[in-house]
Amino acid sequence: YKIFKSSLLGALKSRTAEALHSGQIMAFTDSEPFRDAVGVKNRVVGYAFLVDPERRIRWRAVGYPLKVEVKLLQEAIASLSPASPGSPPRKRTAPKAKKI
């Protein structure tokens, strides 16, 4: 992975608004303890996580999403986001699980 690290980081940063860089985490270390803790089976592909302010994983994905998965992510984000700028955060509740 060391060969690709700088290229990968550069490509990701160039495709992401600079204001969002501080909210991203890239790890280039032994990932086995982390993968075991969050149930990641495939170490070859990338995963995306939505983590709430209490550091709980609210949503995770790998690969191309189905339409229903995009909707579930949007619901999870909405449940963690304030109603509007400057307003207090909404009560944080995880969206109900839906069968796919």
Side-chain angles (χ1 to χ4, degrees):
Y1 66 85
K2 292 179 183 178
I3 298 169
F4 303 107
K5 182 178 177 178
S6 62
S7 296
L8 181 59
L9 287 173
L12 289 171
K13 285 187 174 188
S14 71
R15 290 178 175 87
T16 306
E18 191 170 337
L20 301 176
H21 288 185
S22 65
Q24 297 176 331
I25 300 171
M26 295 288 296
F28 294 93
T29 62
D30 176 21
S31 62
E32 190 169 349
F34 172 78
R35 288 185 296 111
D36 289 344
V38 298
V40 169
K41 306 290 187 223
N42 189 340
R43 68 183 188 99
V44 179
V45 299
Y47 286 76
F49 295 91
L50 174 63
V51 181
D52 71 13
E54 285 80 32
R55 301 182 189 155
R56 294 176 295 194
I57 296 172
R58 295 302 191 126
W59 186 88
R60 77 171 183 188
V62 61
Y64 292 101
L66 301 172
K67 288 182 181 181
V68 68
E69 293 170 323
V70 171
K71 185 174 180 350
L72 290 172
L73 173 59
Q74 291 169 333
E75 290 173 6
I77 291 170
S79 74
L80 298 172
S81 300
S84 61
S87 67
R90 294 185 217 174
K91 182 179 177 187
R92 294 184 178 117
T93 56
K96 294 181 181 179
K98 297 178 184 176
K99 291 185 179 182
I100 299 175

